[in-house]
Amino acid sequence: MDLSATVASLIETAHRVGADRRLVLHGGGNISAKTTELDHLGHTRPVLVIKASGADMRTIDAAGFSRLYLDDLLTLRPRSRMTDEDMTSFFMRSLVEPGSGRPSIETLLHAFRPSTFVYHVHADAICALTNTTDGAARVSDVLGADVPVVPYIRPGFDLAKQVSELKGDAAVLSHHGLVTWSDDARACMERTLELTHRAETFLRERKAERAVRGPAVPPLDRDHAERLLLTLRGRLSRNGYRILALEPHGRAISDRPDVERVARAGPATADHLLRTRPWTAVIRSADDVGGVIDGLEREYSDFVSRHSDRMPPGARPREAAPAVVLVPGLGLIAAAPEARLAWSTAEVAMHTHGVAADVLDAFGDIAPLTEREIFDIEYWPLELAKLKPVSATDLAGRVVIVTGAASGIGRDTAMALARLGAHLAMCDRDAVGLDEATEQIREAGHDPIAVTGDITDPDVVDRLVRETILTFGGVDGLVSNAGVAVAGRLVDLAIEDWERSLAVNATSHFLLVRRLLPVLERQRLGGSLVFVASKNAFSPGEGFGAYSVAKAAEVQLARMVAIEAGRTGVRANVVSPDAIFEGSKLWDEGLRRERAKAHGVAVEELERFYADRSLLGRAVRTSDVADAIVFCLSERSSRMTGCVITVDAGVAAAFPR
Ligand code: ZN
C-alpha cells in the first residue's frame, strides 16, 4: 500500500477501535502500518506510520499519526538496552517530517515486528484475565497456548525486544493489553476482535456462576446527595477549583458489598492510572468526606516518600487527593479542573473498576500492579507529558448560574464567562432563545446546562440549583439578571402589573439567594453573587414606578447578602446599567414607545436620547455590562462586597449613595 492508502486504512481502523470503549479509551492503545516513501534525496525508504503519543483513536485524522524511517529504527534492534530519553530523542531525529507530533513510546514494539500491520489495544476483558493470580495460565486456558503472555514491564525498549522475539500472531501484555500483527489489515483486526470476544464470553459465563451479590443498597436521598457533592467539591478544591462528574451508572460498582476491595484494586491497565490515580475513595456519607480524603492524602504522601529514591529528577509530588470517589447509593464521582476532563476520568474509572469487579466476580481474587510499579507509572515523565496543561483563565473551574440568559446582557455575559473557563448553568423563560444561547456557547467548545422556567417559581429555582450541583458538583457564582420592564404611572398601574414587577425584579433574586447561601456555606469556597440592577434603582424615572421600586429592593437585597454572608466568604455586588438596547428583550416595542413618549422624543430617537443624556455621551453596550459582571465574579474583585458598579456612561442623578 502506498502512503495515502496506508494512512486511510489506519484512520478507518482507529475510528472503529476507538468507537469500541471496551478496547481503548482516551488516547490509549496504538496501531501502525509499514509502507515506503521517497526521502529528501529521492530514495525510496521504508516508513513506519504510527499513532502519535496521546492522540485519540476515536477522533484521529492524518495529523494524529507520526511517520518514522523504519530503516533508522531497525538499526536499534541489536542493542541490548536503551533509556526512554535516548529512545525518544532518537525518534525525533527519525521523523519523516521533522518537528511533527511526538511518536509513541511503543514505537519500537511496532517497528521490530516485521508484519505490515500491528494493532495494540487495552481491552478490558484481556486485562481482566491477566489481573488475577495465575494470570498467564488463565490467558492460555481462554485464548489458547499459541498466545504468549509477557509479564508486566513498563513500555519501552525492553518490552519492544521481548515482543519482537515472540512466535504467533498475537501476544497478551500483563496489566496492559493485547497486541496482534499481520500483513493483512483485516486479519489483524479480526484477530483483535476474536481474542477480545473470547475473553469477554469466558468472563460472562464464569461470572454468571460466581458473581458477588449482596443486599440492594437504597439510593441516597436527594438532599443527602447534594450535601455530599458540595462537601466533596469544597474539600477537593483546596489546591484549585475542581469540577465533579457524577456517573449514576457507577452504582453497579459503588453498591457492591466488596466496593472497598474494588476501590483498592488499582488500574485495569497501567495506562488508566494517569487519570484514575492510585487510590479511589469510598465515601458513604457527607459527614465522612473530610476524614476519608484526609486519610487518602496521608496515604499518598507516605507512598511518595517510601519511593522517593525512584522519583525522576525535577519531578514534583502530584496532587495527593483522589480523583475518583465511589458513593454507595449514588454512583461514581470523578474530579478534575474542568468538566470534560472530569467526564473522561469518570469514563476511564468506570472501565478500570468494572474490570476489577469482573475479576473478583469471575475468579474471587485480584492481582494488582505492585506499589512500586504503580509509582513508576505515576511518575513516568512520558506518561505525565500526556496531561494537557490546565487553563489558568480567571474563572477556570468555577461554576456560575446566569438567569435571563436567553438574550441581551445575560446571553453576552454567559459567553464572556465561558471564554474565561467558567462552567455555566443558564436559565430563562424563553426556551427558544435559551436553546440558541446554549448552542452558541457549545459551538465555542463548552458544555453549559440549560433550565427553562420562570425564576419567580421557587420550584424552578430549586431545580436550577439542584441540576447545577448534580452536573458540576457545586456552584461558585450567580449572575442574577432576569428582569422585566413594567411601565405606567402609579395611579394607572394594575395591581397585577405591580406584583409582577416585584416578583421578577425583587422576589426572584431573594429566592435564588435563599437557595444558594446554604449551598455556598457548605462548600466553604466562598462565592460571588452579582445582581444586575438598573439606573432606576438610584434615579427613578417618571411612569416607571413598579420597575424602579423593585430594582431598589434588589439593590438593598444585595447589600443584605453582603452583610449576612460576608463571614462565609460570600460576596454580593450590584452592576447597575442604563439603557442597554442591544439584543434586549426588556426594550420591546411597547416600552420603547412608552419611554419615548415620557421623554418627549421620537421612538427612533430614543437610543440617541439616552446616550446623549449621559456624561460620556456614549451608548452602553451589553459587553460593557458583561465586563463589569465578569470582574465582580473574578478574584480581581476579591475585596469588594456590598458595592455598586454603574455601567451607564455616567448619569449624575444615578450616582449610588
Ligand atoms: Zn499500551
Side-chain angles (χ1 to χ4, degrees), residues 29 106 120 122 155 176:
E106 285 163 348
H120 164 53
H122 300 156
H176 183 169

Side-chain angles (χ1 to χ4, degrees), residues 531-593:
F531 297 86
V532 179
S534 162
K535 161 253 165 203
N536 285 278
F538 302 94
S539 171
E542 191 180 351
F544 220 24
Y547 183 76
S548 302
V549 168
K551 283 289 178 183
E554 183 197 351
V555 171
Q556 203 70 336
L557 173 77
R559 290 166 170 161
M560 285 308 303
V561 175
I563 290 167
E564 292 189 359
R567 285 282 161 212
T568 59
V570 175
R571 304 186 291 115
N573 293 292
V574 174
V575 170
S576 182
D578 185 34
I580 313 289
F581 290 88
E582 190 185 344
S584 173
K585 271 191 311 193
L586 195 107
W587 284 99
D588 61 15
E589 253 331 288
L591 185 69
R592 279 172 198 256
R593 262 202 309 277

Side-chain angles (χ1 to χ4, degrees), residues 450-474:
V451 171
T452 308
D454 187 332
I455 205 73
T456 61
D457 178 351
D459 291 342
V460 171
V461 170
D462 181 61
R463 185 155 55 88
L464 171 63
V465 174
R466 195 179 292 281
E467 279 189 29
T468 307
I469 295 167
L470 286 174
T471 307
F472 300 118

Side-chain angles (χ1 to χ4, degrees), residues 28-30 106 120-122 155 159 173 176-178 269 271:
N30 209 328
E106 285 163 348
H120 164 53
V121 296
H122 300 156
L159 182 64
L173 313 179
H176 183 169
L178 174 70
T269 163
D271 171 66

Side-chain angles (χ1 to χ4, degrees), residues 16-31:
R16 187 170 167 199
V17 171
D20 188 340
R21 312 307 278 166
R22 295 165 309 170
L23 295 177
V24 290
L25 290 171
H26 303 291
N30 209 328
I31 60 173

